[in-house]
């Protein structure tokens, strides 16, 4: 089975999409674990917390990424 690849023009959307999923999953899992411990109902608490944080994080990344790129260009010598 071969994976169908998207055109390169979608990279600016796909990168923050995947990054926001990974980062919010990790951060919400750590926060849930820290507050509730690793209880039997951990997943029942963690998944809604993750979903809410992702809904906020993904648009934030889309808005912050251009600014972040500009700031990095100001701070780093070009290759």
């Amino acid at each position: 089975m071969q994976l169908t690849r998207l055109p390169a023009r979608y990279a600016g959307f796909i990168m923050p999409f995947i990054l926001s999923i990974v980062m919010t999953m990790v951060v919400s899992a750590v926060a849930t674990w820290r507050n509730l411990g690793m209880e039997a109902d951990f997943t029942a608490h963690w998944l809604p917390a993750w979903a809410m944080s992702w809904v906020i994080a993904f648009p934030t990344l889309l808005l912050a990424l251009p600014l972040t790129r500009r700031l990095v260009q100001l701070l780093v010598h070009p290759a």
Side-chain angles (χ1 to χ4, degrees):
M1 181 174 142
Q2 187 170 347
L3 180 65
T4 303
R5 299 174 99 185
L6 295 170
R9 69 179 180 268
Y10 294 110
F13 181 78
I14 297 298
M15 193 279 294
F17 178 77
I18 293 171
L19 180 62
S20 65
I21 289 172
V22 172
M23 290 302 299
T24 55
M25 287 181 88
V26 170
V27 171
S28 62
V30 168
T32 303
W33 171 68
R34 177 72 173 94
N35 287 314
L36 301 177
M38 197 55 77
E39 303 283 328
D41 61 347
F42 174 84
T43 305
H45 291 283
W46 169 59
L47 285 178
W50 166 73
M52 181 181 285
S53 64
W54 181 80
V55 166
I56 294 166
F58 180 54
T60 301
L61 271 172
L62 289 176
L63 294 172
L65 202 52
L67 175 63
T68 303
R69 284 187 182 124
R70 281 188 230 126
L71 289 172
V72 169
Q73 287 175 349
L74 290 172
L75 297 171
V76 176
H77 284 287

